């Protein structure tokens, strides 16, 4: 697969859990089919923040990679997020996902400790040296505290296996500078509420959690903006941001899981992985109101 074939709208896959913290496999398969068949997404980003990945054991991460590949097969792009603070686990997961046939891997910048850029760069270079796949840097400075500038991105991109970045930041000056400096590398927008300005800045795609439930509307934003129909795209972004604001006010992941249930993904438990809290009855009730107000009548 050429890098061009990784472009598009990609859902950051949510994972439903059982009361004991195990993966609800039937529910996960439903979510995958829902994304492909109803949300019409181009790909799945598996093992990211939306999948509650950083609270999971290595074997559970592998299980999720297995299920996603088995269910999606080759119908859509599959990107495996393998990163964390443990380089050796990231290498093992990257090799595992590659053997399964994932189209690319991604890795969050190592966090918690205040790593220097040289340490971050070595982490990525060591990872791609051991994994025979392409890599997309996952940059989310609000959660990791790791800021990467244009010159540093260019250093990372000197490695031909590092093909792009999931850019989850609100710094549109940096995004514009990066797009101009690195026209041949892939840039994916990571903030769903900022999809329109990201597309105006010529991102190659977008990866986000709300695409699990709002993929159809997000597709309209993407395509209208690419066609230069900015005011029409803005109107859809306004609708989307009303939805996103309501979701954030009610609790991001618990609410999206409840919205997925209301859209027909209702096989078994749709809990979060502790210590993350699952939806309260109040949140469940509010999710129904959000669904009725913003999603019930959305069509292609």
């Amino acid at each position: 697969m050429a890098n061009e074939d990784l472009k598009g709208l990609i859902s950051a896959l949510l994972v439903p859990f059982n009361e004991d913290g195990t993966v609800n496999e039937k529910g996960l398969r439903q979510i995958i089919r829902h994304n492909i068949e109803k949300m019409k997404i181009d790909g799945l980003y598996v093992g990211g923040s939306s999948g509650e990945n950083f609270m999971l054991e290595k074997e559970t991460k592998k299980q999720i990679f297995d299920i996603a590949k088995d269910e999606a097969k080759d119908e859509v792009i599959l990107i495996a997020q393998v990163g964390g603070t443990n380089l050796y686990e990231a290498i093992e997961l990257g090799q595992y996902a590659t053997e399964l046939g994932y189209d690319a891997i991604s890795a969050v910048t190592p966090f918690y400790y205040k790593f220097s850029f040289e340490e971050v760069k070595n982490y990525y270079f060591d990872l791609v040296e051991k994994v025979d796949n392409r890599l997309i840097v996952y940059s989310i400075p609000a959660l990791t505290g790791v800021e990467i500038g244009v010159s540093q991105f260019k250093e990372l991109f000197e490695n031909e296996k590092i093909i792009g970045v999931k850019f989850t930041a609100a710094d549109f000056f940096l995004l514009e500078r990066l797009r101009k400096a690195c026209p041949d590398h892939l840039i994916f927008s990571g903030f769903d509420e900022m999809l329109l300005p990201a597309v105006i800045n010529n991102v190659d795609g977008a990866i986000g959690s709300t695409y699990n439930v709002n993929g159809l509307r997000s597709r309209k934003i993407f395509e209208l903006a690419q066609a230069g129909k900015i005011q029409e795209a803005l109107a859809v972004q306004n609708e989307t941001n009303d939805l996103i604001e309501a979701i954030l006010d009610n609790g991001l992941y618990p609410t999206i899981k409840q919205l997925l249930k209301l859209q027909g993904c209702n096989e078994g438990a749709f809990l979060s992985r502790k210590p993350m809290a699952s939806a309260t009855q109040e949140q469940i009730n509010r999710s129904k109101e959000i669904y009725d107000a913003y999603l019930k009548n959305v069509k292609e």
Side-chain angles (χ1 to χ4, degrees):
M1 181 181 282
N3 293 346
E4 290 288 316
D5 294 328
L6 292 176
K7 295 181 178 182
L9 199 69
I10 298 172
S11 284
L13 185 64
L14 268 82
V15 177
F17 293 94
N18 299 311
E19 181 65 42
D20 62 359
T22 58
V23 174
N24 171 5
E25 179 173 343
K26 289 183 178 179
L28 178 55
R29 288 180 182 275
Q30 274 192 316
I31 294 172
I32 292 165
R33 294 255 52 90
H34 171 80
N35 268 289
I36 296 170
E37 295 171 3
K38 296 183 180 179
M39 294 297 103
K40 309 295 185 184
I41 51 83
D42 298 306
L44 295 169
Y45 187 84
V46 185
S49 308
S50 303
E52 302 170 35
N53 176 76
F54 304 111
M55 296 179 285
L56 303 181
E57 311 81 14
K58 180 175 62 179
E59 293 308 313
T60 304
K61 295 175 186 180
K62 288 182 177 181
Q63 179 191 8
I64 293 166
F65 289 151
D66 279 332
I67 294 167
K69 179 61 179 179
D70 182 65
E71 189 62 45
K73 297 185 170 59
D74 297 321
E75 294 180 60
V76 295
I77 299 161
L78 289 177
I79 302 171
Q81 198 295 125
V82 302
T85 53
N86 184 334
L87 170 64
Y88 304 98
E89 178 181 290
I91 290 169
E92 182 177 339
L93 291 172
Q95 292 170 339
Y96 188 80
T98 299
E99 289 170 4
L100 287 175
Y102 275 69
D103 300 299
I105 62 169
S106 181
V108 71
T109 49
F111 53 90
Y112 187 81
Y113 300 101
K114 292 188 179 299
F115 296 106
S116 68
F117 174 69
E118 282 301 309
E119 290 171 317
V120 172
K121 183 173 78 170
N122 289 335
Y123 159 87
Y124 283 118
F125 282 20
D126 287 344
L127 180 53
V128 295
E129 181 184 357
K130 299 292 186 181
V131 179
D132 186 21
N133 208 335
R134 300 165 294 175
L135 180 136
I136 297 163
V137 173
Y138 180 11
S139 177
I140 182 166
L143 294 183
T144 62
V146 180
E147 302 275 357
I148 303 177
V150 173
S151 62
Q152 294 172 328
F153 273 118
K154 289 176 75 173
E155 278 190 56
L156 294 175
F157 293 159
E158 286 175 6
N159 189 311
E160 63 182 15
K161 292 173 74 175
I162 301 177
I163 62 169
V165 57
K166 179 178 185 251
F167 187 95
T168 308
D171 188 341
F172 281 89
F173 179 57
L174 175 59
L175 176 59
E176 183 273 335
R177 293 286 84 190
L178 181 60
R179 176 77 292 171
K180 184 175 186 295
C182 304
D184 298 324
H185 285 78
L186 298 177
I187 301 178
F188 295 92
S189 169
F191 273 143
D192 309 8
E193 63 271 35
M194 301 178 192
L195 179 58
L196 173 57
V199 179
I200 291 171
N201 276 285
N202 291 327
V203 295
D204 300 290
I207 300 170
S209 56
T210 64
Y211 305 151
N212 285 269
V213 295
N214 194 48
L216 298 179
R217 198 183 266 127
S218 301
R219 171 79 62 192
K220 289 180 182 177
I221 297 169
F222 200 86
E223 293 182 350
L224 286 168
Q226 286 186 321
K229 299 178 180 179
I230 303 306
Q231 289 306 311
E232 292 178 52
L234 180 58
V236 185
Q237 184 74 71
N238 290 157
E239 294 173 354
T240 286
N241 285 0
D242 288 342
L243 168 64
I244 291 174
E245 188 171 40
I247 289 172
L248 292 174
D249 286 346
N250 197 50
L252 178 58
Y253 301 135
T255 302
I256 295 178
K257 288 181 182 181
Q258 291 305 309
L259 294 174
L260 282 164
K261 290 181 72 174
L262 291 164
Q263 290 180 326
C265 300
N266 50 20
E267 183 74 51
F270 270 61
L271 303 177
S272 296
R273 187 51 131 66
K274 291 180 180 179
M276 186 177 287
S278 297
T280 63
Q281 189 58 52
E282 182 180 356
Q283 287 175 307
I284 292 170
N285 295 341
R286 177 59 183 145
S287 295
K288 179 62 165 63
E289 294 174 353
I290 293 169
Y291 171 76
D292 288 342
Y294 300 112
L295 291 173
K296 190 174 184 178
N297 298 314
V298 175
K299 296 180 176 62
E300 285 187 73

